[in-house]
Amino acid sequence: MGLLTGCAPTGGSVESREIGDFYNVVFFLALVVFVGVNGALLYFVTKYRRRPTDVGMPPQIHGSTIAEVTWTVLPALLVFGLFGMSWSSMRSVDRKDEPPNVTVNVQGYQWNWEFDYGNNFKVKAKKDADGKPLVPLMKVPVGERIRFVLTSDNVIHSFFLPEMLFKRDVVPGRLNQFDITIDSAGLYKGQCAEFCGTDHALMNFQLQALNRADFEAWVKDEKANSCAGEPAGTLELASPPGQIAYDKDCLVAPAGQPVKLTYTNGGGQPHNVLVVKSEKERGTLFGKSGDPIPSGTETGEIAAQPAGQYFFFCQVHPVMNGTYKVQ
Amino acid sequence: MTTHAENVGSVSVKQPVEAKKRSAVLDYLTTTDHKKIGVMYLWFSFGMFLVGGLFALIVRTQLANPDGGFVDRDTYNQMFTMHGSIMLFLFIIPIWNGWGNYIVPLQIGALDMAFPRINALSFWMLPVGAVTILSGYFTKDGFAANGWTEYQPIASSHAQAQSPGSGTDLWIIGVLIITIASSLGAINFLVTIFKMRAPGMTMFRMPVFTWNIAVTSILALLAAPVLMSALSMAFIDRNYGGSFFDPNFGGDAILWQNLFWFYSHPAVYIMILPAFGLISEVLPVFSRKPLFGYKAFVFATMAIGALGFSVWAHHMFTTGAVLLGFFAFMTSLIAIPTGVKFFNWLATLWRGQLSFPPPMVFALGFLSMFLIGGINGMFTAQPPIDYALHDTYWVVAHIHYVLFGGSVFAVYSAFYFWFPKVTGRFLNERLGYIHFALTFLGFNLTFFPMHLLGLAGMPRRIAEYAQNPQWQGANVTATVGAFLIAISTLPFIYNVLRSMRYGAPAGSDPWEGNSLEWWTTSPPPVYNFASLPPIRSERPVLDMRLEAEARARLEAESAANAAPDPGSAPV
Amino acid sequence: MSSIATTPETALEGGRPAGMSMPLLGMVLFLASEVMFFAGLFGAYFSIRATAVDWPPVGLEHLHWQLPGFFTVVLVVSSFTLHLALNAIKRGNTSGLIMWTGVTIVLGAIFLAGQLYDYSTLDFTIRDGVYGTTFFTLTGFHGAHVFGGLCYLVIMLVRASTGQFTRHSHAAVEGASMYWHFVDVVWIVLFLILYVLK
Ligand code: HEA
Ligand code: HEA
Ligand code: CUA
Ligand SMILES: [Cu+2]
């Protein structure tokens, strides 16, 4: 038991210290109950062992109203006190009364994470040479209120930040969110905590809290780097049969010249592809709105555009999207 | 034990009816006798404990290494799913049905259960359910693999790309069979207890074990059907294109959890209340005192049962979909009646004359270990703390401290306590102490470190933890402990097999018991009782023993030629 | 021995408190568990319906209640006829028991046939989203219970015609009627929430 206090959780966020303090109070009460009951047990076991000198039966005590009322009321008081503390700690941990500085949309899928910061910027799991997904890293500014909005399109996951002593389930069909203020900079581990199938154990991620300037620099870098490659005048995009996905999330085209785009739907699911100015503006550069193709190939031309970042997506499945980069 | 030498003399110890082997087997297969059915329950469910334990050993072997590597991830998921499902549905619930079957009719002075044939049916449905669940092994994707909770929509149709196996369908059917059996069993217990008590056996003279079986049966009767409906829905989702649990088609992903826990929280009390009852039989006998606060005890049992229906969402604090305050409060309330039980047990020991044969030792082990399990449950009952601890190894520690440190210790205590009644022979005492020491040590070695892992944030149900090699130390300790627990079962199994034939004869009332099962011979005749004593209190056998002692003393005083005490044995 | 010599039989008899017979108590408890089974289904239905945006989903009309309403009346009447059957045997009137049980079986069969007909008129299936899933699951499980009840009643009919029930011994009939009333009540609730409630 003593070991447990040694490991008493303390976290890297304002909320987690709240939880950690409450844990310590409960731990203290638990220790009192544990020592009290086990102490009495040991004492009785040594004191009242049956001796050869015992004659007849011990006093046949059937009960005592006073004693029984006492040990109903005392734990009851303890429970009410505990509930009061639980309630107040819950309210401050779960509070959402301040607008957040940064909102991260967390998308859980089998079996990885995607962190969408809005404005056409998201962090996805990169893949290693063998095509195995790597642990995705998200960064957030330290000391600011972050809101995590959790969505899943398929099964239930749980977004767990052990060092923040916090998790919340990622439930399909439900928009869970929580706010957190991480106040010590550092690299933290995260993991999926709700069983979600074969590779549940591999749904790790990392979270780095860093100061505002570094955070902004990182966003800028990521945006620029996330879509890179040799510009080409003919581009190809495809959806594997039966999947709700494109095979690429980045298309790079040369500036100031028209580009030919060929899209192939492997079938099984209706898709289309629209290339637009940006996620918000949606001025269509390519594709017919509202006309998904069940399978087959569609070819078209994208008019010459100035250098910059554009956006493409599937109207049927908005989770299918990517960056069209002109350079 | 010592004072009963004369009893042994006056009672003919019946040999178990194993004279002719073949007919004995047939006899068991076709029997409707509650005692034989009870014994079959015990064999079956203890066997299932070993099978479930085997799965646990695979789990522990895998986790000894951060990279896993012993089995692949899919297999690992099947292993803990089978481990949890078998331990709960096929070991701990049925084994208490077994003891209930054997003991309850004896304790209330009845001839048999109310519906003997339905009783046999509910037993035989269990092996059928077990075979159904385990036959998943032979399907393409192996056993069911979504945890014993089979959360949806992971296990439902539209996610079938991820959970295609018919192992899950077999799991659903198997559990359905088992829950039907358990509600039939519950009806049987309740009718038996309400309708078949001996004259003078009022409700408030019933032994506390019987009381606990009664409340357990009410829980099973009302909760199991809800699981059946949930299982039916899951089956429809998977096989007939239904969408109860799939939000992409209008269903509700959280619905399963509500239905499942509406059953499964009461179900954890189905697993522990009989244990509470057993402890309440053992402590008074070996303290030579009545149970302190019998009525309070009965009311506490009812309170636990009733509260058990209003706390299910404490398994769902992190879903963001439940009323945290209400469920946290109701959950914590359960500590009060449980506390009453604890303090009454302590007060039963107080000023007693304690002796420590194996059943008592296991009962004391229960007291100190279940206490830890109850207390670490109180941590997770506080939502903010549960945000940190939910679905981590802390919960695994909780599960095992209540289920192993609680129920299993009590099951062992019951074996040592009632084995003499069932077979007419004692289990060997020395082997019993060895068994206890190994179990106690192995148990704490396995499950205590899990608290630390939980605090460190190790999630449950993970096949590997390569990102966190610092967790290995505690995991290896747990693995070593697990093998120690496995070894600890050996002296017990040896003891049972050996003592059935060669154990010391026990006589009808080897422990100076209180309740009616100690009145009849060991093993009891087919018709249970040749005669019944008058029942004037909740300890009729003690009353008779005291009466006989008083009469003997009188006779000894009046006449110098002290006749041999006829003892309290039945004619 | 100071004990009162009681044979196992008297022990049993004496201990049996007045009131319901054991089989009947068994039936009551069984029905309690059935109530919980349907409570699970209804709970699922309401929690899904409460969060649904459109109920019924766009493109489907609200179910017509007229024809099912008629069959509801048939089922309710069958409860009364079974009650008459029970009353008959309570007076020792076996032919009354046979007649009214027969009428009940016919009415129950009409109800089942009607429900199957109603199914055939619907333009959605169990696969078409959660609306169809809940509808067919709820009515399907109820239909299965009606079918089970019919089998039970047929057995009662056979046993009655071989003269196995008397004025004093007819617990099985009593059990059958309890079960049938229960199935009937479940249907009324189902009818109200599925067909009538908007
Ligand atoms: C035998 C089975 C059993 C029993 C008896 C209990 C008893 C309790 N359980 Fe447990 N529980 C399980 C089996 C059991 N549980 C299982 C199997 C799971 C996991 C399921 C899964 O997800 O796989 C689980 C999970 C579980 C959770 C969910 C954790 C999570 O997933 O995040 C919670 C949360 O509140 C909880 C709480 C409790 C409480 C408060 C009690 C209380 O009843 C305990 C009360 C007892 C005491 C408190 C000790 C004695 C009291 C005193 C000495 C009085 C004084 C004390 C105080 C006032 C504190 N349990
Ligand atoms: C009564 C209930 C019960 C019992 C007794 C046990 C006993 C044990 N449990 Fe279990 N456990 C659960 C109920 C139980 N458990 C539940 C409900 C879960 C949750 C499942 C889920 O997440 O879905 C769980 C989960 C669980 C996990 C977490 C897995 C995970 O989340 O990834 C672990 C990990 O160590 C574990 C370990 C053990 C060990 C080592 C034992 C040991 O006590 C076992 C001791 C070993 C033996 C008794 C074996 C002896 C036998 C032999 C040596 C061979 C003989 C073989 C034959 C003849 C076939 N259990
Ligand atoms: Cu995602 Cu576990
Ligand atoms: Cu619970």
Side-chain angles (χ1 to χ4, degrees):
Chain A
M1 272 274 164
L3 270 169
L4 294 186
T5 18
C7 281
T10 46
S13 69
V14 177
E15 292 76 11
S16 69
R17 264 187 300 284
E18 183 90 33
I19 295 176
D21 289 347
F22 181 39
Y23 172 92
N24 287 333
V25 175
V26 178
F27 183 83
F28 175 75
L29 294 176
L31 202 63
V32 171
V33 174
F34 177 79
V35 170
V37 172
N38 260 339
L41 186 66
L42 284 179
Y43 178 69
F44 291 170
V45 163
T46 42
K47 172 117 194 259
Y48 300 115
R49 52 177 57 246
R50 190 173 182 180
R51 288 160 220 280
T53 52
D54 283 342
V55 280
M57 300 280 276
Q60 300 293 297
I61 309 159
H62 284 266
S64 145
T65 312
I66 300 177
E68 285 166 52
V69 169
T70 313
W71 61 58
T72 310
V73 170
L74 282 184
L77 293 179
L78 205 60
V79 162
F80 294 146
L82 213 55
F83 178 71
M85 287 185 285
S86 206
W87 182 256
S88 77
S89 140
M90 209 154 73
R91 292 188 49 126
S92 71
V93 170
D94 278 333
R95 110 197 132 87
K96 281 198 204 63
D97 46 6
E98 272 173 54
N101 299 39
V102 178
T103 300
V104 185
N105 290 287
V106 175
Q107 162 100 24
Y109 59 95
Q110 283 172 315
W111 290 273
N112 222 317
W113 303 95
E114 208 173 278
F115 307 110
D116 189 342
Y117 287 73
N119 294 326
N120 196 13
F121 171 52
K122 60 175 80 157
V123 177
K124 295 185 180 186
K126 302 203 172 63
K127 299 194 169 142
D128 69 7
D130 312 328
K132 249 181 84 180
L134 294 170
V135 176
L137 168 69
M138 71 152 87
K139 301 196 183 187
V140 295
V142 75
E144 295 184 27
R145 251 183 125 60
I146 323 279
R147 173 162 300 171
F148 289 107
V149 181
L150 313 169
T151 52
S152 160
D153 60 349
N154 190 341
V155 303
I156 305 177
H157 306 273
S158 189
F159 183 78
F160 179 25
L161 289 164
E163 283 127 320
M164 307 303 149
L165 303 181
F166 200 87
K167 70 176 66 69
R168 178 107 334 148
D169 293 358
V170 184
V171 185
R174 200 187 154 79
L175 214 68
N176 271 340
Q177 45 188 350
F178 69 93
D179 290 2
I180 191 172
T181 308
I182 299 175
D183 57 1
S184 45
L187 187 62
Y188 300 99
K189 284 175 182 152
Q191 191 159 357
C192 176
E194 183 62 81
F195 182 76
C196 54
T198 307
D199 285 350
H200 160 64
L202 304 187
M203 268 183 84
N204 296 296
F205 62 92
Q206 286 185 307
L207 180 147
Q208 185 170 17
L210 67 190
N211 65 45
R212 185 83 211 181
D214 291 344
F215 171 71
E216 275 166 8
W218 171 76
V219 172
K220 219 168 147 206
D221 273 11
E222 279 292 307
K223 270 192 170 171
N225 294 342
S226 62
C227 188
E230 275 304 302
T234 48
L235 297 171
E236 279 175 19
L237 186 67
S239 303
Q243 286 189 22
I244 301 185
Y246 292 128
D247 60 345
K248 302 191 188 78
D249 57 8
C250 162
L251 296 170
V252 187
Q257 85 183 57
V259 172
K260 199 172 141 216
L261 175 62
T262 307
Y263 169 64
T264 311
N265 183 354
Q269 294 275 358
H271 301 297
N272 67 357
V273 55
L274 292 189
V275 182
V276 294
K277 287 233 171 65
S278 79
E279 198 174 352
K280 294 239 170 72
E281 282 175 47
R282 306 243 149 153
T284 310
L285 308 175
F286 174 89
K288 272 192 273 167
S289 177
D291 187 19
I293 51 172
S295 71
T297 304
E298 198 176 51
T299 309
E301 209 178 66
I302 309 175
Q305 298 294 330
Q309 298 234 8
Y310 304 83
F311 184 66
F312 68 86
F313 69 104
C314 165
Q315 271 186 312
V316 192
H317 310 102
V319 287
M320 295 167 60
N321 58 41
T323 306
Y324 177 67
K325 187 171 181 182
V326 178
Q327 61 189 61
Chain B
M1 274 170 294
T2 39
T3 50
H4 271 254
E6 67 270 4
N7 259 0
V8 178
S10 67
V11 178
S12 69
V13 177
K14 267 205 181 172
Q15 292 300 317
V17 267
E18 287 184 318
K20 292 185 216 117
K21 254 277 153 60
R22 261 230 315 288
S23 70
V25 170
L26 200 69
D27 194 30
Y28 269 86
L29 291 182
T30 55
T31 188
T32 57
D33 175 21
H34 74 95
K35 297 183 289 300
K36 288 185 183 149
I37 292 177
V39 169
M40 287 194 294
Y41 265 111
L42 298 179
W43 279 110
F44 171 77
S45 33
F46 194 80
M48 281 295 144
F49 172 60
L50 296 183
V51 176
L54 203 62
F55 284 111
L57 294 182
I58 298 172
V59 164
R60 283 308 337 156
T61 310
Q62 167 88 353
L63 293 178
N65 195 329
D67 306 317
F70 182 61
V71 292
D72 64 33
R73 285 189 290 280
D74 254 330
T75 313
Y76 179 83
N77 298 340
Q78 298 173 20
M79 295 301 112
F80 70 72
T81 302
M82 285 299 118
H83 165 65
S85 313
I86 289 177
M87 285 299 195
L88 300 185
F89 294 123
L90 294 169
F91 162 55
I92 203 74
I93 297 180
I95 206 160
W96 287 119
N97 272 337
W99 283 121
N101 246 289
Y102 199 100
I103 297 298
V104 164
L106 291 176
Q107 283 195 332
I108 61 175
L111 190 65
D112 201 327
M113 296 282 281
F115 309 113
R117 272 178 300 177
I118 293 183
N119 197 24
L121 177 70
S122 351
F123 169 72
W124 285 108
M125 285 170 86
L126 281 181
V128 174
V131 167
T132 311
I133 292 178
L134 288 171
S135 61
Y137 179 73
F138 300 104
T139 64
K140 189 166 117 292
D141 300 278
F143 298 117
N146 301 309
W148 81 280
T149 50
E150 288 295 320
Y151 269 15
Q152 312 288 343
I154 173 91
S156 77
S157 73
H158 300 288
Q160 269 217 14
Q162 319 308 336
S163 174
S166 20
T168 305
D169 294 318
L170 290 168
W171 185 93
I172 292 173
I173 297 170
V175 174
L176 202 53
I177 294 173
I178 295 165
T179 35
I180 293 172
S182 128
S183 354
L184 288 179
I187 294 175
N188 220 334
F189 275 125
L190 286 172
V191 176
T192 308
I193 292 171
F194 285 143
K195 292 285 181 186
M196 295 179 63
R197 300 189 309 277
M201 178 62 76
T202 60
M203 289 301 268
F204 279 103
R205 285 181 194 159
M206 282 192 331
V208 174
F209 179 73
T210 295
W211 258 115
N212 277 274
I213 292 286
V215 174
T216 301
S217 301
I218 294 174
L219 294 182
L221 184 77
L222 298 181
V226 176
L227 180 63
M228 290 179 216
S229 72
L231 290 168
S232 314
M233 291 177 218
F235 197 78
I236 287 168
D237 267 17
R238 289 177 58 82
N239 295 287
Y240 303 108
S243 42
F244 280 106
F245 305 117
D246 193 332
N248 291 330
F249 295 81
D252 180 350
I254 298 293
L255 174 62
W256 168 267
Q257 297 182 26
N258 277 313
L259 294 170
F260 182 84
W261 292 117
F262 185 86
Y263 161 75
S264 281
H265 187 85
V268 307
Y269 294 116
I270 295 175
M271 303 168 204
I272 200 69
L273 287 182
F276 288 171
L278 176 275
I279 299 301
S280 316
E281 300 288 325
V282 169
L283 294 183
V285 167
F286 298 105
S287 312
R288 293 163 60 82
K289 277 183 63 199
L291 181 66
F292 194 94
Y294 172 97
K295 281 217 167 134
F297 213 93
V298 170
F299 289 128
T301 307
M302 293 178 186
I304 293 176
L307 285 172
F309 279 106
S310 57
V311 304
W312 75 89
H314 64 213
H315 299 272
M316 303 161 59
F317 284 153
T318 62
T319 57
V322 297
L323 276 176
L324 298 173
F326 173 77
F327 287 104
F329 184 63
M330 299 309 277
T331 303
S332 303
L333 278 189
I334 295 188
I336 301 171
T338 317
V340 167
K341 292 195 165 193
F342 256 87
F343 299 125
N344 280 348
W345 284 327
L346 287 177
T348 304
L349 300 177
W350 176 63
R351 296 183 64 190
Q353 293 169 358
L354 311 188
S355 53
F356 303 100
M360 181 66 161
V361 171
F362 272 101
L364 296 172
F366 169 98
L367 289 185
S368 69
M369 292 299 105
F370 179 79
L371 178 67
I372 298 180
I375 290 177
N376 65 23
M378 292 302 287
F379 282 80
T380 52
Q382 316 308 320
I385 299 182
D386 195 53
Y387 292 163
L389 299 178
H390 172 68
D391 269 348
T392 66
Y393 264 77
W394 180 283
V395 176
V396 180
H398 167 66
I399 297 180
H400 292 91
Y401 268 88
V402 286
L403 278 166
F404 198 114
S407 309
V408 177
F409 273 57
V411 163
Y412 280 139
S413 175
F415 267 104
Y416 288 97
F417 188 55
W418 280 320
F419 188 87
K421 178 51 59 185
V422 177
T423 64
R425 293 174 184 281
F426 281 107
L427 282 170
N428 180 296
E429 218 169 66
R430 172 152 342 132
L431 281 172
Y433 291 131
I434 295 174
H435 174 210
F436 175 79
L438 286 175
T439 309
F440 191 82
L441 193 68
F443 166 72
N444 281 296
L445 214 54
T446 311
F447 299 113
F448 192 81
M450 291 185 182
H451 291 105
L452 310 179
L453 288 172
L455 287 172
M458 177 167 170
R460 56 195 284 212
R461 296 173 172 170
I462 54 172
E464 53 192 77
Y465 47 97
Q467 306 284 324
N468 292 285
Q470 75 276 15
W471 293 338
Q472 191 177 11
N475 270 297
V476 169
T477 315
T479 304
V480 171
F483 280 90
L484 202 57
I485 301 178
I487 292 171
S488 80
T489 57
L490 299 180
F492 175 69
I493 296 169
Y494 173 74
N495 200 351
V496 167
L497 294 179
R498 198 190 133 80
S499 303
M500 279 192 330
R501 296 249 172 86
Y502 310 110
S508 60
D509 184 13
W511 310 115
E512 302 197 314
N514 296 326
S515 40
L516 283 182
E517 77 266 30
W518 305 112
W519 180 254
T520 187
T521 53
S522 309
V526 187
Y527 45 88
N528 285 356
F529 294 97
S531 72
L532 281 171
I535 299 161
R536 299 190 217 97
S537 75
E538 81 277 12
R539 296 189 294 169
V541 175
L542 175 93
D543 294 345
M544 296 312 293
R545 197 166 50 237
L546 292 181
E547 212 167 273
E549 272 167 26
R551 193 156 14 85
R553 215 177 309 123
L554 261 176
E555 276 169 18
E557 275 167 20
S558 61
N561 56 335
D565 187 352
S568 53
V571 270
Chain C
M1 287 310 317
S2 56
S3 60
I4 306 167
T6 37
T7 64
E9 286 74 31
T10 57
L12 251 171
E13 303 278 293
R16 190 178 298 169
M20 236 180 255
S21 71
M22 295 211 299
L24 220 51
L25 178 60
M27 177 54 86
V28 169
L29 294 173
F30 174 71
L31 290 182
S33 78
E34 286 278 34
V35 168
M36 291 310 287
F37 179 81
F38 279 101
L41 293 178
F42 285 134
Y45 176 82
F46 279 115
S47 74
I48 286 169
R49 181 167 178 171
T51 50
V53 192
D54 297 302
W55 196 268
V58 206
L60 285 179
E61 309 176 50
H62 195 271
L63 294 165
H64 299 294
W65 60 269
Q66 290 81 351
L67 191 63
F70 170 72
F71 291 119
T72 307
V73 173
V74 170
L75 194 63
V76 172
V77 169
S78 80
S79 244
F80 283 104
T81 55
L82 192 59
H83 189 68
L84 291 178
L86 181 63
N87 277 352
I89 193 63
K90 275 186 178 156
R91 292 189 310 269
N93 175 357
T94 309
S95 55
L97 169 68
I98 294 174
M99 180 181 84
W100 288 118
T101 309
V103 172
T104 310
I105 292 175
V106 171
L107 291 175
I110 292 177
F111 172 84
L112 264 192
Q115 202 184 356
L116 286 179
Y117 173 74
D118 189 41
Y119 278 4
S120 72
T121 64
L122 298 174
D123 46 6
F124 59 90
T125 70
I126 196 167
R127 319 184 77 88
D128 298 335
V130 77
Y131 184 75
T133 308
T134 50
F135 175 83
F136 282 102
T137 305
L138 262 65
T139 54
F141 270 113
H142 176 264
H145 278 77
V146 175
F147 183 75
L150 281 179
C151 296
Y152 190 177
L153 286 177
V154 168
I155 295 173
M156 290 305 105
L157 192 65
V158 172
R159 288 184 61 185
S161 47
T162 55
Q164 292 186 27
F165 298 119
T166 66
R167 177 199 291 250
H168 300 292
S169 148
H170 53 262
V173 181
E174 228 162 309
S177 94
M178 270 186 187
Y179 178 83
W180 194 253
H181 296 327
F182 163 76
V183 171
D184 199 356
V185 170
V186 170
W187 176 257
I188 293 173
V189 177
L190 269 181
F191 177 70
L192 290 177
I193 66 173
L194 291 180
Y195 292 91
V196 179
L197 185 72
K198 293 236 156 120

